[in-house]
Amino acid sequence: MTEAYATIVFLFVLFTLLGSSIWIGLALMGVAWVGMEMFTTRPAGDAMITTIWTGASSWTLTALPLFIWMGEILYRTRLSQDMFRGLAPWMRWLPGGLLHTNIAGCTIFAAVSGSSAATLTTVGKMSIPELRKRGYPEYMIIGTLAGAATLGLMIPPSLTLIVYGVSINESIIKLFMAGIIPGLVLASLFMTYIMAWHFIRPDQRPPPEPKMSFGEMLAESRFLIPVLLLVFSVIGSMYFGWATATEAAAVGVLGSLTLAIFQRSLTASAFFESLMGATRTSAMIALILMGAAFLSLSMGFTGLPRALAAWIDEMQLSPITLIAALTVFYIILGMFLDGISSVVLTMAIVEPMIRQAGIDVIWFGIFIVVVVEMAQVTPPIGFNLFVLQGMTRHEIGYISKTAIPMVGLMLLMVVILVAFPELATWLPNNLRQ
């Protein structure tokens, strides 16, 4: 009964604070404070000070602002134009044509930016006008871009995976490596959808692109070289053991600054804006993590996570049944909270449950990223939908409808991960030390 009473109190205070438009990080701290005062004898102030400082001063967390800054710098370069120019000659011959540049462009940019919104904005600002000019259907342009931009959450460096790793004290590099293969599989599902559209709706195909010689295609590909070098320097340095996640983030920042200078797109104002944008985003995520750390401590003192884990154990749920229940839970939660908030808010409860069920925490990190990706394109709080609304001026309902097939493909990706868990575990298990 004590655990049930504590659960009701926690949920009531949480939804009251969130409903009053208080910042999520402060709302989490408020819930934790109430829990400490009502259910423990330990001074809440001392516990809060110690926990918040410990969570905010984590060395692992230093990779977060650096990766955010790298994405901010690249957002202000000509990267999207160069990527489209380099990718277009190779995508044009595929069924579905240049729509594949949305998927390929987001996949490449996701490898140098951990943000879904940054990926969407960078690729979209070039691909949307180009694809419109060539006569591609509007619903396919918007839908494929909305889905493909979520790859920024999975393909390393992923901000969500950093937050997840910090929350459960797991290796960031292993989580990054785990996201590569599933990210490429999800990108291939998106491309398969475009190919299916090409054959099912031949009446909607735009006029064919003018022919290019192989030499011309190779010449245009030179525009991809800078970003591919940056991808290798960030991900390759971690895989081969040359750098930790934080060191790789520093390499990425230096590389993106070099790329911006090389393109002559790094003005003093752009540099300052990128720095302030990274500072604001990092401070927001850090505040959420501080609140989540204090909430985890508070819940630990109440015994709620242990009791819930024991309850799950008594129910004798199979791991697949538990994953199915958590999928529904996170989809519903994602309708009201952004991805990072969903992760930090639930880890104190969910982590003991998955460990009790014998689920690999690395695999679960990739699973949770997939379901959090759905939250980016599902109303009413689908952040990517609002970004696309600002870019295209369409109604949010129309944009949501175009993204429905992509949500279905993400659900299919969950099924594939359950059926083939090695997709997420093989690479980190064979990581070069």
Side-chain angles (χ1 to χ4, degrees):
M1 289 299 294
T2 305
E3 286 82 7
Y5 177 57
T7 302
I8 293 170
V9 171
F10 274 124
L11 290 176
F12 175 76
V13 176
L14 176 64
F15 286 115
T16 301
L17 293 175
L18 290 176
S20 61
S21 300
I22 292 177
W23 290 349
I24 291 174
L26 296 181
L28 297 180
M29 290 182 194
V31 176
W33 181 280
V34 170
M36 291 289 289
E37 290 290 348
M38 292 186 64
F39 302 109
T40 74
T41 57
R42 183 173 178 180
D46 292 345
M48 183 173 72
I49 292 169
T50 305
T51 307
I52 286 178
W53 173 252
T54 303
S57 59
S58 166
W59 171 250
T60 309
L61 202 57
T62 55
L64 190 69
L66 290 172
F67 278 129
I68 295 172
W69 190 21
M70 181 175 71
E72 289 280 345
I73 294 167
L74 293 174
Y75 169 64
R76 289 165 174 81
T77 66
R78 295 198 316 272
L79 184 68
S80 58
Q81 293 94 321
D82 286 355
M83 274 201 307
F84 190 92
R85 189 171 175 182
L87 287 170
W90 303 99
M91 300 291 111
R92 58 198 294 154
W93 59 271
L94 290 173
L98 294 182
L99 281 172
H100 291 286
T101 56
N102 271 348
I103 314 299
C106 287
T107 303
I108 293 173
F109 191 78
V112 288
S113 170
S115 166
S116 173
T119 301
L120 173 61
T121 310
T122 304
V123 177
K125 70 180 180 182
M126 185 59 195
S127 70
I128 290 175
E130 288 291 335
L131 294 174
R132 280 175 172 171
K133 188 168 64 178
R134 288 166 166 82
Y136 285 90
E138 188 77 359
Y139 75 94
M140 286 298 293
I141 297 173
I142 296 173
T144 55
L145 188 59
T150 62
L151 293 169
L153 298 179
M154 181 180 290
I155 295 176
S158 162
L159 303 186
T160 307
L161 285 177
I162 294 175
V163 170
Y164 173 78
V166 170
S167 299
I168 68 164
N169 196 27
E170 188 54 71
S171 166
I172 303 297
I173 292 182
K174 284 190 174 182
L175 287 167
F176 278 0
M177 294 302 111
I180 294 176
I181 297 176
L184 295 176
V185 171
L186 185 56
S188 68
L189 290 178
F190 293 153
M191 296 182 82
T192 303
Y193 166 68
I194 294 174
M195 293 179 189
W197 163 82
H198 174 85
F199 292 113
I200 294 171
R201 304 299 296 269
D203 55 307
Q204 295 183 358
R205 298 176 193 168
E209 293 287 316
K211 293 183 178 180
M212 291 180 69
S213 68
F214 186 71
E216 289 174 323
M217 293 169 67
L218 285 178
E220 290 295 293
S221 300
R222 72 185 187 277
F223 292 100
L224 286 175
I225 293 174
V227 68
L228 292 178
L229 288 175
L230 187 58
V231 169
F232 177 78
S233 65
V234 173
I235 299 179
S237 62
M238 289 187 287
Y239 177 77
F240 291 109
W242 299 337
T244 64
T246 304
E247 291 164 349
V251 169
V253 169
L254 291 175
S256 58
L257 285 171
T258 304
L259 182 58
I261 293 170
F262 178 74
Q263 291 182 332
R264 296 181 181 177
S265 54
L266 186 68
T267 62
S269 61
F271 180 83
F272 180 75
E273 287 169 9
S274 71
L275 199 55
M276 291 306 298
T279 302
R280 282 190 292 268
T281 306
S282 303
M284 176 195 71
I285 295 174
L287 182 62
I288 293 173
L289 284 172
M290 291 175 197
F294 187 32
L295 182 59
S296 297
L297 178 72
S298 177
M299 285 187 170
F301 275 112
T302 64
L304 188 58
R306 291 189 299 275
L308 190 56
W311 178 61
I312 294 293
D313 188 44
E314 289 171 6
M315 292 175 66
Q316 298 295 309
L317 289 179
S318 68
I320 292 179
T321 307
L322 179 59
I323 288 299
L326 288 174
T327 300
V328 175
F329 169 70
Y330 276 110
I331 289 175
I332 295 172
L333 190 65
M335 293 179 180
F336 306 100
L337 291 175
D338 66 279
I340 288 176
S341 301
S342 299
V343 171
V344 298
L345 182 62
T346 57
M347 272 306 105
I349 296 290
V350 172
E351 184 188 357
M353 290 166 51
I354 61 171
R355 292 189 187 275
Q356 185 75 27
I359 297 172
D360 188 291
V361 291
I362 297 289
W363 179 92
F364 188 77
I366 304 308
F367 158 79
I368 207 171
V369 165
V370 176
V371 291
V372 160
E373 283 178 346
M374 296 182 211
Q376 299 290 311
V377 288
T378 51
I381 314 292
F383 190 68
N384 283 11
L385 303 180
F386 292 112
V387 175
L388 274 170
Q389 185 183 35
M391 295 174 70
T392 63
R393 305 301 178 189
H394 285 296
E395 293 293 329
I396 200 76
Y398 173 80
I399 297 173
S400 301
K401 288 177 184 176
T402 67
I404 289 174
M406 316 308 279
V407 174
L409 292 174
M410 293 177 205
L411 283 171
L412 176 60
M413 186 66 207
V414 171
V415 175
I416 292 173
L417 277 173
V418 172
F420 305 101
E422 297 81 10
L423 288 174
T425 57
W426 180 83
L427 196 56
N429 288 342
N430 293 273
L431 181 66
R432 287 186 136 186
Q433 297 302 322

PDB file of all heavy atoms in Angstrom, residues 258-290:
ATOM      1  N   THR A 258      36.558  23.875 -39.208  1.00  0.00           N
ATOM      2  CA  THR A 258      37.423  23.860 -40.398  1.00  0.00           C
ATOM      3  C   THR A 258      36.588  23.847 -41.667  1.00  0.00           C
ATOM      4  O   THR A 258      36.880  24.562 -42.633  1.00  0.00           O
ATOM      5  CB  THR A 258      38.341  22.625 -40.361  1.00  0.00           C
ATOM      6  OG1 THR A 258      39.088  22.631 -39.150  1.00  0.00           O
ATOM      7  CG2 THR A 258      39.287  22.617 -41.554  1.00  0.00           C
ATOM      8  N   LEU A 259      35.528  23.026 -41.674  1.00  0.00           N
ATOM      9  CA  LEU A 259      34.650  22.935 -42.845  1.00  0.00           C
ATOM     10  C   LEU A 259      33.964  24.269 -43.106  1.00  0.00           C
ATOM     11  O   LEU A 259      33.857  24.719 -44.260  1.00  0.00           O
ATOM     12  CB  LEU A 259      33.607  21.836 -42.613  1.00  0.00           C
ATOM     13  CG  LEU A 259      32.613  21.558 -43.739  1.00  0.00           C
ATOM     14  CD1 LEU A 259      33.327  21.176 -45.028  1.00  0.00           C
ATOM     15  CD2 LEU A 259      31.645  20.453 -43.331  1.00  0.00           C
ATOM     16  N   ALA A 260      33.505  24.925 -42.028  1.00  0.00           N
ATOM     17  CA  ALA A 260      32.835  26.219 -42.187  1.00  0.00           C
ATOM     18  C   ALA A 260      33.789  27.282 -42.715  1.00  0.00           C
ATOM     19  O   ALA A 260      33.429  28.104 -43.574  1.00  0.00           O
ATOM     20  CB  ALA A 260      32.245  26.659 -40.844  1.00  0.00           C
ATOM     21  N   ILE A 261      35.025  27.277 -42.229  1.00  0.00           N
ATOM     22  CA  ILE A 261      36.025  28.229 -42.721  1.00  0.00           C
ATOM     23  C   ILE A 261      36.358  27.949 -44.178  1.00  0.00           C
ATOM     24  O   ILE A 261      36.475  28.855 -45.003  1.00  0.00           O
ATOM     25  CB  ILE A 261      37.290  28.164 -41.839  1.00  0.00           C
ATOM     26  CG1 ILE A 261      36.985  28.670 -40.424  1.00  0.00           C
ATOM     27  CG2 ILE A 261      38.426  28.972 -42.462  1.00  0.00           C
ATOM     28  CD1 ILE A 261      38.098  28.408 -39.427  1.00  0.00           C
ATOM     29  N   PHE A 262      36.491  26.652 -44.506  1.00  0.00           N
ATOM     30  CA  PHE A 262      36.799  26.248 -45.887  1.00  0.00           C
ATOM     31  C   PHE A 262      35.694  26.702 -46.843  1.00  0.00           C
ATOM     32  O   PHE A 262      35.968  27.110 -47.974  1.00  0.00           O
ATOM     33  CB  PHE A 262      36.966  24.728 -45.950  1.00  0.00           C
ATOM     34  CG  PHE A 262      37.248  24.192 -47.316  1.00  0.00           C
ATOM     35  CD1 PHE A 262      38.492  24.345 -47.911  1.00  0.00           C
ATOM     36  CD2 PHE A 262      36.249  23.534 -48.029  1.00  0.00           C
ATOM     37  CE1 PHE A 262      38.746  23.857 -49.180  1.00  0.00           C
ATOM     38  CE2 PHE A 262      36.491  23.046 -49.298  1.00  0.00           C
ATOM     39  CZ  PHE A 262      37.746  23.205 -49.876  1.00  0.00           C
ATOM     40  N   GLN A 263      34.437  26.640 -46.397  1.00  0.00           N
ATOM     41  CA  GLN A 263      33.304  27.072 -47.234  1.00  0.00           C
ATOM     42  C   GLN A 263      33.090  28.581 -47.185  1.00  0.00           C
ATOM     43  O   GLN A 263      32.207  29.102 -47.864  1.00  0.00           O
ATOM     44  CB  GLN A 263      32.020  26.386 -46.773  1.00  0.00           C
ATOM     45  CG  GLN A 263      31.974  24.884 -47.039  1.00  0.00           C
ATOM     46  CD  GLN A 263      30.656  24.269 -46.605  1.00  0.00           C
ATOM     47  OE1 GLN A 263      29.994  24.764 -45.699  1.00  0.00           O
ATOM     48  NE2 GLN A 263      30.272  23.191 -47.264  1.00  0.00           N
ATOM     49  N   ARG A 264      33.859  29.264 -46.346  1.00  0.00           N
ATOM     50  CA  ARG A 264      33.745  30.716 -46.169  1.00  0.00           C
ATOM     51  C   ARG A 264      32.345  31.124 -45.701  1.00  0.00           C
ATOM     52  O   ARG A 264      31.790  32.150 -46.123  1.00  0.00           O
ATOM     53  CB  ARG A 264      34.091  31.445 -47.476  1.00  0.00           C
ATOM     54  CG  ARG A 264      35.545  31.229 -47.911  1.00  0.00           C
ATOM     55  CD  ARG A 264      35.865  31.973 -49.182  1.00  0.00           C
ATOM     56  NE  ARG A 264      37.243  31.747 -49.596  1.00  0.00           N
ATOM     57  CZ  ARG A 264      37.776  32.229 -50.720  1.00  0.00           C
ATOM     58  NH1 ARG A 264      37.037  32.971 -51.529  1.00  0.00           N
ATOM     59  NH2 ARG A 264      39.028  31.965 -51.015  1.00  0.00           N
ATOM     60  N   SER A 265      31.763  30.278 -44.833  1.00  0.00           N
ATOM     61  CA  SER A 265      30.422  30.572 -44.328  1.00  0.00           C
ATOM     62  C   SER A 265      30.428  30.838 -42.822  1.00  0.00           C
ATOM     63  O   SER A 265      29.381  30.950 -42.206  1.00  0.00           O
ATOM     64  CB  SER A 265      29.472  29.402 -44.636  1.00  0.00           C
ATOM     65  OG  SER A 265      30.001  28.186 -44.150  1.00  0.00           O
ATOM     66  N   LEU A 266      31.623  30.934 -42.221  1.00  0.00           N
ATOM     67  CA  LEU A 266      31.728  31.169 -40.786  1.00  0.00           C
ATOM     68  C   LEU A 266      31.996  32.644 -40.524  1.00  0.00           C
ATOM     69  O   LEU A 266      33.150  33.075 -40.459  1.00  0.00           O
ATOM     70  CB  LEU A 266      32.827  30.293 -40.173  1.00  0.00           C
ATOM     71  CG  LEU A 266      32.917  30.355 -38.645  1.00  0.00           C
ATOM     72  CD1 LEU A 266      31.690  29.712 -38.018  1.00  0.00           C
ATOM     73  CD2 LEU A 266      34.179  29.666 -38.151  1.00  0.00           C
ATOM     74  N   THR A 267      30.923  33.406 -40.383  1.00  0.00           N
ATOM     75  CA  THR A 267      31.060  34.807 -40.013  1.00  0.00           C
ATOM     76  C   THR A 267      31.102  34.912 -38.489  1.00  0.00           C
ATOM     77  O   THR A 267      30.797  33.946 -37.775  1.00  0.00           O
ATOM     78  CB  THR A 267      29.881  35.628 -40.549  1.00  0.00           C
ATOM     79  OG1 THR A 267      28.675  35.129 -39.949  1.00  0.00           O
ATOM     80  CG2 THR A 267      29.778  35.504 -42.064  1.00  0.00           C
ATOM     81  N   ALA A 268      31.459  36.090 -38.000  1.00  0.00           N
ATOM     82  CA  ALA A 268      31.509  36.304 -36.551  1.00  0.00           C
ATOM     83  C   ALA A 268      30.128  36.116 -35.935  1.00  0.00           C
ATOM     84  O   ALA A 268      29.980  35.512 -34.865  1.00  0.00           O
ATOM     85  CB  ALA A 268      32.044  37.696 -36.241  1.00  0.00           C
ATOM     86  N   SER A 269      29.082  36.606 -36.614  1.00  0.00           N
ATOM     87  CA  SER A 269      27.724  36.470 -36.080  1.00  0.00           C
ATOM     88  C   SER A 269      27.280  35.000 -36.090  1.00  0.00           C
ATOM     89  O   SER A 269      26.627  34.536 -35.150  1.00  0.00           O
ATOM     90  CB  SER A 269      26.746  37.320 -36.889  1.00  0.00           C
ATOM     91  OG  SER A 269      26.714  36.893 -38.238  1.00  0.00           O
ATOM     92  N   ALA A 270      27.639  34.249 -37.147  1.00  0.00           N
ATOM     93  CA  ALA A 270      27.275  32.829 -37.224  1.00  0.00           C
ATOM     94  C   ALA A 270      27.971  32.043 -36.116  1.00  0.00           C
ATOM     95  O   ALA A 270      27.364  31.154 -35.497  1.00  0.00           O
ATOM     96  CB  ALA A 270      27.643  32.258 -38.588  1.00  0.00           C
ATOM     97  N   PHE A 271      29.239  32.373 -35.850  1.00  0.00           N
ATOM     98  CA  PHE A 271      29.979  31.703 -34.769  1.00  0.00           C
ATOM     99  C   PHE A 271      29.318  31.967 -33.420  1.00  0.00           C
ATOM    100  O   PHE A 271      29.116  31.041 -32.625  1.00  0.00           O
ATOM    101  CB  PHE A 271      31.424  32.189 -34.762  1.00  0.00           C
ATOM    102  CG  PHE A 271      32.271  31.569 -33.684  1.00  0.00           C
ATOM    103  CD1 PHE A 271      32.849  30.325 -33.868  1.00  0.00           C
ATOM    104  CD2 PHE A 271      32.473  32.232 -32.486  1.00  0.00           C
ATOM    105  CE1 PHE A 271      33.629  29.749 -32.867  1.00  0.00           C
ATOM    106  CE2 PHE A 271      33.249  31.673 -31.483  1.00  0.00           C
ATOM    107  CZ  PHE A 271      33.830  30.423 -31.679  1.00  0.00           C
ATOM    108  N   PHE A 272      28.950  33.221 -33.175  1.00  0.00           N
ATOM    109  CA  PHE A 272      28.322  33.577 -31.900  1.00  0.00           C
ATOM    110  C   PHE A 272      26.958  32.912 -31.766  1.00  0.00           C
ATOM    111  O   PHE A 272      26.601  32.398 -30.696  1.00  0.00           O
ATOM    112  CB  PHE A 272      28.177  35.105 -31.806  1.00  0.00           C
ATOM    113  CG  PHE A 272      27.531  35.584 -30.534  1.00  0.00           C
ATOM    114  CD1 PHE A 272      28.235  35.581 -29.336  1.00  0.00           C
ATOM    115  CD2 PHE A 272      26.215  36.012 -30.533  1.00  0.00           C
ATOM    116  CE1 PHE A 272      27.646  36.006 -28.168  1.00  0.00           C
ATOM    117  CE2 PHE A 272      25.617  36.440 -29.362  1.00  0.00           C
ATOM    118  CZ  PHE A 272      26.331  36.442 -28.182  1.00  0.00           C
ATOM    119  N   GLU A 273      26.169  32.899 -32.859  1.00  0.00           N
ATOM    120  CA  GLU A 273      24.838  32.278 -32.819  1.00  0.00           C
ATOM    121  C   GLU A 273      24.944  30.772 -32.558  1.00  0.00           C
ATOM    122  O   GLU A 273      24.136  30.204 -31.815  1.00  0.00           O
ATOM    123  CB  GLU A 273      24.096  32.532 -34.132  1.00  0.00           C
ATOM    124  CG  GLU A 273      23.613  33.971 -34.298  1.00  0.00           C
ATOM    125  CD  GLU A 273      23.127  34.241 -35.714  1.00  0.00           C
ATOM    126  OE1 GLU A 273      23.005  33.270 -36.487  1.00  0.00           O
ATOM    127  OE2 GLU A 273      22.855  35.414 -36.038  1.00  0.00           O
ATOM    128  N   SER A 274      25.933  30.131 -33.172  1.00  0.00           N
ATOM    129  CA  SER A 274      26.105  28.687 -32.957  1.00  0.00           C
ATOM    130  C   SER A 274      26.478  28.407 -31.507  1.00  0.00           C
ATOM    131  O   SER A 274      25.990  27.445 -30.898  1.00  0.00           O
ATOM    132  CB  SER A 274      27.177  28.128 -33.898  1.00  0.00           C
ATOM    133  OG  SER A 274      28.475  28.570 -33.527  1.00  0.00           O
ATOM    134  N   LEU A 275      27.322  29.247 -30.935  1.00  0.00           N
ATOM    135  CA  LEU A 275      27.747  29.069 -29.550  1.00  0.00           C
ATOM    136  C   LEU A 275      26.582  29.264 -28.585  1.00  0.00           C
ATOM    137  O   LEU A 275      26.384  28.473 -27.658  1.00  0.00           O
ATOM    138  CB  LEU A 275      28.870  30.066 -29.234  1.00  0.00           C
ATOM    139  CG  LEU A 275      29.769  29.789 -28.030  1.00  0.00           C
ATOM    140  CD1 LEU A 275      30.394  28.414 -28.119  1.00  0.00           C
ATOM    141  CD2 LEU A 275      30.833  30.872 -27.918  1.00  0.00           C
ATOM    142  N   MET A 276      25.764  30.309 -28.823  1.00  0.00           N
ATOM    143  CA  MET A 276      24.633  30.571 -27.945  1.00  0.00           C
ATOM    144  C   MET A 276      23.553  29.501 -28.103  1.00  0.00           C
ATOM    145  O   MET A 276      22.917  29.092 -27.129  1.00  0.00           O
ATOM    146  CB  MET A 276      24.055  31.957 -28.241  1.00  0.00           C
ATOM    147  CG  MET A 276      24.971  33.104 -27.841  1.00  0.00           C
ATOM    148  SD  MET A 276      25.502  33.023 -26.107  1.00  0.00           S
ATOM    149  CE  MET A 276      23.933  33.147 -25.254  1.00  0.00           C
ATOM    150  N   GLY A 277      23.335  29.041 -29.344  1.00  0.00           N
ATOM    151  CA  GLY A 277      22.349  27.982 -29.563  1.00  0.00           C
ATOM    152  C   GLY A 277      22.735  26.707 -28.847  1.00  0.00           C
ATOM    153  O   GLY A 277      21.900  26.046 -28.209  1.00  0.00           O
ATOM    154  N   ALA A 278      24.026  26.346 -28.916  1.00  0.00           N
ATOM    155  CA  ALA A 278      24.507  25.149 -28.222  1.00  0.00           C
ATOM    156  C   ALA A 278      24.406  25.318 -26.711  1.00  0.00           C
ATOM    157  O   ALA A 278      24.068  24.373 -25.987  1.00  0.00           O
ATOM    158  CB  ALA A 278      25.955  24.865 -28.626  1.00  0.00           C
ATOM    159  N   THR A 279      24.693  26.525 -26.213  1.00  0.00           N
ATOM    160  CA  THR A 279      24.620  26.788 -24.772  1.00  0.00           C
ATOM    161  C   THR A 279      23.187  26.636 -24.262  1.00  0.00           C
ATOM    162  O   THR A 279      22.947  26.003 -23.221  1.00  0.00           O
ATOM    163  CB  THR A 279      25.137  28.199 -24.453  1.00  0.00           C
ATOM    164  OG1 THR A 279      26.479  28.325 -24.921  1.00  0.00           O
ATOM    165  CG2 THR A 279      25.094  28.478 -22.956  1.00  0.00           C
ATOM    166  N   ARG A 280      22.224  27.211 -25.002  1.00  0.00           N
ATOM    167  CA  ARG A 280      20.823  27.132 -24.578  1.00  0.00           C
ATOM    168  C   ARG A 280      20.335  25.681 -24.545  1.00  0.00           C
ATOM    169  O   ARG A 280      19.711  25.237 -23.574  1.00  0.00           O
ATOM    170  CB  ARG A 280      19.937  27.964 -25.511  1.00  0.00           C
ATOM    171  CG  ARG A 280      19.984  29.461 -25.249  1.00  0.00           C
ATOM    172  CD  ARG A 280      18.911  30.183 -26.030  1.00  0.00           C
ATOM    173  NE  ARG A 280      19.170  30.131 -27.466  1.00  0.00           N
ATOM    174  CZ  ARG A 280      19.845  31.064 -28.136  1.00  0.00           C
ATOM    175  NH1 ARG A 280      20.327  32.110 -27.499  1.00  0.00           N
ATOM    176  NH2 ARG A 280      20.036  30.955 -29.431  1.00  0.00           N
ATOM    177  N   THR A 281      20.618  24.939 -25.613  1.00  0.00           N
ATOM    178  CA  THR A 281      20.164  23.545 -25.681  1.00  0.00           C
ATOM    179  C   THR A 281      20.829  22.694 -24.611  1.00  0.00           C
ATOM    180  O   THR A 281      20.176  21.871 -23.954  1.00  0.00           O
ATOM    181  CB  THR A 281      20.460  22.958 -27.073  1.00  0.00           C
ATOM    182  OG1 THR A 281      19.890  23.792 -28.080  1.00  0.00           O
ATOM    183  CG2 THR A 281      19.891  21.559 -27.210  1.00  0.00           C
ATOM    184  N   SER A 282      22.137  22.881 -24.420  1.00  0.00           N
ATOM    185  CA  SER A 282      22.869  22.102 -23.415  1.00  0.00           C
ATOM    186  C   SER A 282      22.358  22.393 -22.010  1.00  0.00           C
ATOM    187  O   SER A 282      22.204  21.476 -21.188  1.00  0.00           O
ATOM    188  CB  SER A 282      24.364  22.403 -23.493  1.00  0.00           C
ATOM    189  OG  SER A 282      24.867  22.142 -24.778  1.00  0.00           O
ATOM    190  N   ALA A 283      22.093  23.671 -21.728  1.00  0.00           N
ATOM    191  CA  ALA A 283      21.599  24.041 -20.402  1.00  0.00           C
ATOM    192  C   ALA A 283      20.225  23.428 -20.148  1.00  0.00           C
ATOM    193  O   ALA A 283      19.933  22.957 -19.041  1.00  0.00           O
ATOM    194  CB  ALA A 283      21.526  25.561 -20.276  1.00  0.00           C
ATOM    195  N   MET A 284      19.379  23.400 -21.177  1.00  0.00           N
ATOM    196  CA  MET A 284      18.042  22.817 -21.036  1.00  0.00           C
ATOM    197  C   MET A 284      18.142  21.322 -20.705  1.00  0.00           C
ATOM    198  O   MET A 284      17.498  20.832 -19.770  1.00  0.00           O
ATOM    199  CB  MET A 284      17.253  23.008 -22.324  1.00  0.00           C
ATOM    200  CG  MET A 284      15.883  22.350 -22.313  1.00  0.00           C
ATOM    201  SD  MET A 284      15.153  22.222 -23.953  1.00  0.00           S
ATOM    202  CE  MET A 284      16.183  20.959 -24.698  1.00  0.00           C
ATOM    203  N   ILE A 285      18.980  20.604 -21.462  1.00  0.00           N
ATOM    204  CA  ILE A 285      19.116  19.155 -21.243  1.00  0.00           C
ATOM    205  C   ILE A 285      19.763  18.879 -19.888  1.00  0.00           C
ATOM    206  O   ILE A 285      19.370  17.956 -19.166  1.00  0.00           O
ATOM    207  CB  ILE A 285      19.933  18.520 -22.381  1.00  0.00           C
ATOM    208  CG1 ILE A 285      19.172  18.655 -23.708  1.00  0.00           C
ATOM    209  CG2 ILE A 285      20.222  17.050 -22.099  1.00  0.00           C
ATOM    210  CD1 ILE A 285      19.958  18.182 -24.923  1.00  0.00           C
ATOM    211  N   ALA A 286      20.764  19.688 -19.521  1.00  0.00           N
ATOM    212  CA  ALA A 286      21.432  19.494 -18.231  1.00  0.00           C
ATOM    213  C   ALA A 286      20.455  19.689 -17.072  1.00  0.00           C
ATOM    214  O   ALA A 286      20.490  18.936 -16.089  1.00  0.00           O
ATOM    215  CB  ALA A 286      22.605  20.460 -18.100  1.00  0.00           C
ATOM    216  N   LEU A 287      19.562  20.681 -17.176  1.00  0.00           N
ATOM    217  CA  LEU A 287      18.578  20.911 -16.113  1.00  0.00           C
ATOM    218  C   LEU A 287      17.627  19.718 -15.994  1.00  0.00           C
ATOM    219  O   LEU A 287      17.283  19.292 -14.880  1.00  0.00           O
ATOM    220  CB  LEU A 287      17.789  22.197 -16.402  1.00  0.00           C
ATOM    221  CG  LEU A 287      16.747  22.592 -15.347  1.00  0.00           C
ATOM    222  CD1 LEU A 287      17.421  22.856 -14.002  1.00  0.00           C
ATOM    223  CD2 LEU A 287      15.957  23.811 -15.800  1.00  0.00           C
ATOM    224  N   ILE A 288      17.221  19.161 -17.135  1.00  0.00           N
ATOM    225  CA  ILE A 288      16.349  17.975 -17.116  1.00  0.00           C
ATOM    226  C   ILE A 288      17.062  16.800 -16.461  1.00  0.00           C
ATOM    227  O   ILE A 288      16.487  16.070 -15.648  1.00  0.00           O
ATOM    228  CB  ILE A 288      15.901  17.619 -18.548  1.00  0.00           C
ATOM    229  CG1 ILE A 288      14.980  18.711 -19.106  1.00  0.00           C
ATOM    230  CG2 ILE A 288      15.188  16.272 -18.579  1.00  0.00           C
ATOM    231  CD1 ILE A 288      14.622  18.516 -20.564  1.00  0.00           C
ATOM    232  N   LEU A 289      18.348  16.624 -16.791  1.00  0.00           N
ATOM    233  CA  LEU A 289      19.114  15.519 -16.209  1.00  0.00           C
ATOM    234  C   LEU A 289      19.306  15.702 -14.701  1.00  0.00           C
ATOM    235  O   LEU A 289      19.291  14.730 -13.941  1.00  0.00           O
ATOM    236  CB  LEU A 289      20.467  15.395 -16.899  1.00  0.00           C
ATOM    237  CG  LEU A 289      20.447  14.750 -18.293  1.00  0.00           C
ATOM    238  CD1 LEU A 289      21.816  14.866 -18.946  1.00  0.00           C
ATOM    239  CD2 LEU A 289      20.026  13.295 -18.214  1.00  0.00           C
ATOM    240  N   MET A 290      19.513  16.947 -14.264  1.00  0.00           N
ATOM    241  CA  MET A 290      19.628  17.207 -12.826  1.00  0.00           C
ATOM    242  C   MET A 290      18.347  16.799 -12.104  1.00  0.00           C
ATOM    243  O   MET A 290      18.369  16.127 -11.063  1.00  0.00           O
ATOM    244  CB  MET A 290      19.902  18.693 -12.575  1.00  0.00           C
ATOM    245  CG  MET A 290      21.265  19.189 -13.018  1.00  0.00           C
ATOM    246  SD  MET A 290      21.357  20.987 -12.776  1.00  0.00           S
ATOM    247  CE  MET A 290      22.765  21.397 -13.794  1.00  0.00           C
TER     248      MET A 290
END
